[in-house]
Each structure stands twice: as C-alpha cells, then as structure tokens.
Amino acid sequence: MKLFLEDPHLFEYYSVVVALLLLFGATFLIEKMKSMRQWLGIGLIALPVIYFFMLLDAHLVNIPYTDDFNLLETVQKLRNADSFPNMLKALFEQVNQHRFGFERIVMLIMFLLTGTVNIKTQIIIGDLFMLGIAYLLYLGLKKERITWYWFIPVPYILFNLVYFENAYWGIAALQNTPLIFFAMLTAYGLAREDDKGFRIALIAALLTTFTSGSGLLAWIVGMVMLALQKRVKNLLWWIVGSAAVLLFYFFFDYQFISSQGEKVWNHPVFNAIFVMAFWGNALYLDVRHPLVPVLHQDLIACVFLGAGLALVFAIWAGRIFLTRKPTFSDWLLLGAMMFVMGTGAMFVISRPINNYVMYGGTVFSRRYMIFGVVLVAVCYVCVVVFLKNFKRWNNLVAIIAMLFFLGLNFVSYFTSIVSIRRLHDELVIDSYFWKNYKTFLTVGDVFTDIPFWNHPTRMRDLIIGLESDGITDFYQYYDMPAQEDLIRKTATGKPFIGTFGAKFQYRNSVNNLPDKYFRFFVTPEKPQEETFYIVLESPRHNIVLPAIPQPNSVSDFLQKASYYSNNYEYSLYKPKLPEGKYRAWIMSRNDSRQWESAGTGKQVLFY
C-alpha cells in the first residue's frame, strides 16, 4: 500500500467508475448487454468501498492521536484493576459527558488476543461498521421489493472523505460509526415488531448508550416507535430498561458538567439555522472557514440541504400517521432519521451560537460530518421507497442521486486526501518531538504544550507504561539522530537541488483570533518517491517538519492523470514553534536508507 500513499490513483479510480456507469447504462439500451447488468451493478457498489479501505490502509499508522491516549490509559487501568468495582470504574470512566464502554471493551479484547492495541486495526474495525449501516439501508429497499439497482448510489455517499477525521482517528472511528449502526440496529429490531426484534433493540440500545453520550437518544427513539406501534407491554419494559440504564449512567461515578454558554432559546433563529446546517453538513467542504461577516457558500448549501432533509423527515413522519399499517421500512427509516436528527439537535443545544452559522469559524469538527452523510443516504432511500410506484420519477431520483453522490465523492477525495496525508506524516514524527522536546507536532497550540493535560509527568509516565506493557509501540518510526546532533550527523555538504521558500501572513487560528501563520514551500528538481523533511536549525533547536505534496489543480489532474504535483508545503501557526533564526535544510533518505541533509542556503526568521 506504500505506492497508494505516494499516488492515491484517484484518476484511475474515477475512470473505472465512469466506465462502469456508462456500461451499466448501456445495458438498458442494448439488449445484448443485458446479461452484464448484474455484474456491472455489483462492481459499481463494491468499487467505492474497496477504494475507501485501500486509501485508508495506505495512510493509517499505528500511532495514537490525541484522545486515543485517554482510551489507552483506560486499557492500562483495566489491566491493572484489583477489584470488580475498580474495573467497572475504569470501563465506564467518564470523558466529558460520554462513557466509552464499547470502545474500551473492543480495545481490551484486542489486547487480550494479541498482547497489544493496534490503532490501525481499531480504526478499520470502526470503519467496517459503515458496511452494517449500508446493509440496513439495503434492507429498507429489499423489504419494499425495490430492485437493488436503486441501492447503487448509496456507497458513494457513505464511503468518502467528507468525514475524513472520523474515518482516520482511532477514537472517532470506533465511536461515531458504531454509534450510528447500533442506533439503526435498535430501529431495525423495533421495526420487526416481534419478540426477537425487541430483544435485539434492547441490546443495541444498550450498546448505543455506552458508545457515546448521544446514544441515550436511542431510548427516546425507541419509546416513540413503540408508542406509535401501540405495543404497550413492550413500551413498559422499554421504559423500565431505560430507567435502569439512566440511573447507572448518571449516578455511578459520574460528575455532572454544567454548560457555561448561552441557552439555545436566546437566539432561536440562529440556532434553528445552525441545526439545519448540522443535518446538511455532508456539503461542508474541507476548506478554511474564518469567522468573518461574509457568508460561506458551502455552509449556505448545508443549511438548504438540511432544510430539505427536514422536509423529507416531516413527510415520512406524516406518512407513518396516515398509513393504516406502516411497514418494516417505514419504521426502520423513521428511527434512523430520528436518531441522526436528534443528535444534531443535541449538538446545537450543547453548543448554541449567537450569529449566523454561515459566517464560519470553528462551528464543526469534521468527525461530525458522518451524521450528515448517513442522513442524506437515509433520506435518499426514503424518497425511493416513497416513489416506488412512480417508475419514471424513481428513475430520475436515482440518476440525480448518482450524479450528486458521485460528485460529492470526488470533491471529498480531491480536497481531503492531502489532509489525511498530512496527518499521516505528522504522526510518524510525533515520537521525534516527544523524545526531544516533550511535545507533539499533532497536538497543542504552543511549542511548550504537554499533551493532553499539561501535567509535568502524567504523559511521560503514560507513554513509558504503555510501551513497557506492550500496549503501544510509540517509537516504531523514530530512527533520526537526537535533535542536538541531527544536522551534524546527517549533513552531506551538498546543496539542495531545487527551490525553497517561506512566507507568513495573519489568519484566524482555531480560537478565531488573528495570529501569524507560516508556510514553507519546497520544489525538488526531481520528483520524490517518499516523504522528506524540512529541518529548521538554530543554536538551540532542530525542528523537523514533513514536506507535504500538494494536489494538482483540477485541470492538471485531468491532463496529467495524477493527484499530486511536485510542489511540497508545510504550514503552521507561529506559537507552535519557538522563536529564533533558523537555517533551512532538506532531509531525506539516501539509497542506503540513511538520513542525509542538504542545505538550502536560506534562513528563516521566526518571531
């Protein structure tokens, strides 16, 4: 998969997709090609799934990222628990309002089976739950006896990089994707309207609750569905079960956290728009959104899409009330929409705003985009089911959805592959920063930040303990000389062949305050086959920064059939590095796999 890291083969992927689509369409026009339709359809469904996991596999590394350390610390606590109560406290330890019981059980099982916790495996396990989500949506069509050809657009909306942070980050992948699956499984169980389905729903709701804080919604969704189904006995048992779970959740070693922000009703219009933006966040592009009084076009699109999805939900809910005997698909899709849209409402209630969301700022984290993506897929299936007796309209909906989902699929990959490449290259050298400076490149706003608690010894002791217990291999990529000897041991005396430059500008940081933002540019004379580094040398520090290849423009991408150009960059805010005057070097591996540094002849002033 190393080749996939250097060249994601995006052009080849879409060439095959377009070719399959054209051939699939031709089977409806050319009688002799009709026998190929089924296999072409299967290929169109499988291709986005295969590409998604191949791309992830190439970019994932077995290195903890931010809150992954918190879960790893819990695994260590579980392993060392000396009593059952202490084990329960570690298993359900509170993180903000969440209790990550499911995630910790998965990691503990992984440790018991293999003797370690592999973050890459953890991420893949989490992302595989998207297959379960896709299957439940497929069941929604199958139960209505709708041909599976209308399912073809669904994988293109579910398997993309709109939510790349969720797909790449260990704790997020093992949290949000299973969370949505368990919530939909709860709806699936209740949609069966039998005793076996009720037991499935109870277990799924329990798993949903202890996967993320918003999983508590599963019990409310279940109550609504059972009440509408007029299953009084099951509803009473459901209320008893939810009460028992809630008592445990909020009264077993739990600390209530009060919100210091404004109340949502102080600005009802702004927050109504905000929740619609959350529902439609599948259109939230991987671009900067500075907090300025200028409307961002993609956020406007999110609001309108969210309003459209809310309309679909209203029509679907009305259909439930008007139908004498709602079907399995009616209940399944209603439950799925209620949970995802309820999650959006909970998000806004916990983070209300007092201005237009379209102004931008840090209103969304990319891990939340998975909710918008799933909601779009669910609503698409709702529309197909609703129009199943109107074949022409159904055909039109499928064609429009295919074009829309495929376009979003392309935009997500084209804009975000470079983002997961950057995170990959930063994680690989986090151990260099920790070993030499007791900080991380991937975390923290200031160079002296000690992740994640700024405690003088907690992180140090945690990494030592995780390493000695074999829970993680944090230093697996660390083979560079110590920072004080880096240039002395790697300098070749040869000049760097290519161009190097640097510039700074003021731009809003994550706190929406202007700060100095530095960018470094490198263009080697010859294309590079693997990651190389920019080294900034001063009398006190040798800072190593990855040179990230930059994507071609869309026109160059089409002409050259290549995603990456021969231009490399790295950028960061000024507080992330110590002030000083630095000489710039380019460090890479030679033919013998040894590090060597070439001088650029340039100096950088960090102030």
Side-chain angles (χ1 to χ4, degrees):
M1 290 295 179
K2 184 179 178 181
L3 180 62
F4 230 70
L5 178 66
E6 303 303 326
D7 180 3
H9 299 287
L10 193 63
F11 185 85
E12 292 84 350
Y13 165 54
Y14 284 106
S15 297
V16 175
V17 170
V18 171
L20 287 177
L21 271 176
L22 293 175
L23 290 172
F24 182 76
T27 63
F28 293 91
L29 304 174
I30 303 172
E31 187 66 26
K32 291 182 178 180
M33 295 182 64
K34 189 175 179 179
S35 60
M36 301 170 56
R37 187 182 301 167
Q38 180 177 353
W39 294 108
L40 290 169
I42 292 173
L44 283 168
I45 290 173
L47 196 58
V49 179
I50 294 171
Y51 184 79
F52 177 84
F53 282 103
M54 288 180 68
L55 191 73
L56 279 184
D57 183 62
H59 289 80
L60 295 176
V61 290
N62 181 24
I63 297 292
Y65 175 53
T66 68
D67 290 345
D68 292 338
F69 280 99
N70 180 273
L71 288 185
L72 290 173
E73 185 179 40
T74 307
V75 173
Q76 195 177 48
K77 289 179 180 178
L78 283 168
R79 182 173 178 271
N80 299 324
D82 56 1
S83 65
F84 183 72
N86 287 337
M87 185 189 73
L88 281 181
K89 286 182 179 180
L91 181 61
F92 295 105
E93 181 180 303
Q94 179 184 351
V95 179
N96 295 324
Q97 290 88 1
H98 308 287
R99 289 186 181 271
F100 297 136
F102 168 75
E103 295 89 328
R104 289 166 177 147
I105 289 172
V106 171
M107 296 172 75
L108 184 61
I109 291 173
M110 191 187 304
F111 178 75
L112 294 174
L113 293 177
T114 66
T116 187
V117 176
N118 190 301
I119 300 295
K120 182 173 181 177
T121 303
Q122 172 187 324
I123 294 171
I124 296 295
I125 289 172
D127 289 331
L128 283 173
F129 278 87
M130 188 61 84
L131 292 174
I133 294 171
Y135 178 71
L136 290 175
L137 292 177
Y138 167 74
L139 282 182
L141 293 176
K142 183 180 179 182
K143 294 289 186 179
E144 295 292 321
R145 298 181 180 178
I146 298 173
T147 175
W148 61 270
Y149 298 145
W150 269 261
F151 180 75
I152 291 175
V154 172
Y156 292 89
I157 187 67
L158 292 183
F159 295 91
N160 60 55
L161 290 187
V162 169
Y163 55 93
F164 73 84
E165 188 179 70
N166 192 88
Y168 191 99
W169 184 5
I171 189 174
L174 202 55
Q175 177 189 10
N176 292 329
T177 320
L179 171 75
I180 297 173
F181 170 74
F182 291 140
M184 290 183 65
L185 190 62
T186 304
Y188 161 82
L190 297 178
R192 288 170 54 113
E193 298 187 80
D194 58 18
D195 290 338
K196 182 178 179 181
F198 184 73
R199 290 192 293 271
I200 291 173
L202 278 174
I203 296 170
L206 189 65
L207 289 168
T208 311
T209 302
F210 293 105
T211 299
S212 179
S214 63
L216 292 167
L217 273 173
W219 298 101
I220 300 174
V221 171
M223 289 179 194
V224 173
M225 291 180 66
L226 288 168
L228 292 175
Q229 291 171 348
K230 299 178 181 179
R231 298 163 61 185
V232 178
K233 182 179 178 181
N234 288 140
L235 176 58
L236 292 175
W237 279 112
W238 190 267
I239 292 173
V240 171
S242 62
V245 170
L246 289 174
L247 286 172
F248 177 83
Y249 194 98
F250 289 111
F251 291 97
F252 177 76
D253 194 33
Y254 189 88
Q255 181 179 355
F256 287 89
I257 302 173
S258 59
S259 175
Q260 302 299 320
E262 294 189 17
K263 302 303 180 183
V264 67
W265 51 81
N266 289 346
H267 304 281
V269 175
F270 289 144
N271 287 293
I273 295 172
F274 189 20
V275 76
M276 286 189 287
F278 183 96
W279 293 337
N281 64 31
L283 297 182
Y284 189 64
L285 298 181
D286 186 15
V287 296
R288 284 188 66 233
H289 294 87
L291 182 60
V292 292
V294 176
L295 300 182
H296 297 278
Q297 293 182 353
D298 62 325
L299 278 167
I300 296 174
C302 289
V303 173
F304 279 104
L305 177 60
L309 299 176
L311 178 62
V312 172
F313 171 75
I315 294 172
W316 196 259
R319 187 170 178 265
I320 297 288
F321 284 105
L322 296 175
T323 303
R324 285 187 177 181
K325 181 63 177 175
T327 66
F328 168 87
S329 299
D330 292 333
W331 295 120
L332 170 65
L333 298 174
L334 176 71
M337 285 190 289
M338 287 175 64
F339 179 79
V340 176
M341 297 180 79
T343 299
M346 288 181 67
F347 177 87
V348 172
I349 290 171
S350 64
R351 301 169 177 82
I353 59 175
N354 57 4
N355 57 18
Y356 284 112
V357 67
M358 295 88 81
Y359 283 170
T362 55
V363 291
F364 290 138
S365 170
R366 295 222 68 85
R367 64 182 179 274
Y368 299 126
M369 305 306 102
I370 192 170
F371 294 96
V373 162
V374 172
L375 183 59
V376 170
V378 173
C379 287
Y380 162 73
V381 175
C382 287
V383 173
V384 171
V385 171
F386 186 75
L387 297 175
K388 70 176 181 178
N389 295 322
F390 303 90
K391 191 171 181 181
R392 289 185 178 179
W393 284 103
N394 232 350
N395 288 339
L396 181 61
V397 166
I399 292 171
I400 293 174
M402 187 70 218
L403 294 176
F404 174 57
F405 293 172
L406 182 59
L408 185 60
N409 189 274
F410 172 78
V411 170
S412 75
Y413 280 119
F414 193 82
T415 57
S416 297
I417 286 177
V418 66
S419 296
I420 62 173
R421 170 62 187 266
R422 175 182 172 122
L423 187 54
H424 168 278
D425 292 351
E426 289 177 335
L427 284 171
V428 165
I429 59 171
D430 254 356
S431 54
Y432 174 86
F433 277 81
W434 179 252
K435 192 77 171 180
N436 292 281
Y437 300 113
K438 292 299 179 281
T439 190
F440 284 179
L441 181 61
T442 55
V443 183
D445 299 325
V446 180
F447 183 70
T448 54
D449 279 348
I450 302 174
F452 300 88
W453 305 281
N454 262 328
H455 189 278
T457 59
R458 183 176 176 184
M459 192 66 193
R460 181 201 66 190
D461 294 342
L462 176 60
I463 290 181
I464 292 173
L466 293 174
E467 284 278 324
S468 61
D469 291 342
I471 296 176
T472 189
D473 186 6
F474 184 66
Y475 296 107
Q476 60 189 285
Y477 296 102
Y478 181 59
D479 65 346
M480 298 176 185
Q483 73 93 11
E484 61 270 16
D485 298 322
L486 186 64
I487 295 301
R488 181 177 63 82
K489 290 187 175 182
T490 62
T492 62
K494 299 178 182 178
F496 169 66
I497 302 176
T499 60
F500 172 84
K503 69 176 184 180
F504 85 90
Q505 64 188 99
Y506 281 94
R507 60 188 285 183
N508 283 16
S509 65
V510 293
N511 298 315
N512 288 318
L513 298 175
D515 208 341
K516 286 183 180 179
Y517 187 74
F518 282 80
R519 299 173 66 191
F520 304 98
F521 308 89
V522 184
T523 303
E525 186 179 60
K526 297 180 180 180
Q528 301 295 298
E529 295 183 357
E530 60 180 291
T531 303
F532 65 95
Y533 297 92
I534 302 164
V535 179
L536 303 178
E537 178 203 16
S538 76
R540 295 184 59 191
H541 304 98
N542 281 307
I543 305 296
V544 178
L545 304 173
I548 311 298
Q550 298 303 293
N552 281 309
S553 64
V554 175
S555 59
D556 285 344
F557 167 75
L558 295 174
Q559 291 176 11
K560 299 177 182 178
S562 177
Y563 178 72
Y564 285 126
S565 67
N566 194 40
N567 298 317
Y568 297 77
E569 287 187 18
Y570 192 77
S571 53
L572 73 175
Y573 286 96
K574 179 258 173 186
K576 190 61 182 171
L577 294 184
E579 295 182 354
K581 189 174 183 181
Y582 296 88
R583 291 194 299 168
W585 300 74
I586 302 299
M587 187 174 71
S588 60
R589 294 187 187 273
N590 58 25
D591 295 337
S592 301
R593 308 296 300 160
Q594 301 298 312
W595 292 109
E596 61 180 23
S597 300
T600 65
K602 301 288 184 67
Q603 292 187 341
V604 177
L605 182 61
F606 238 70
Y607 62 96

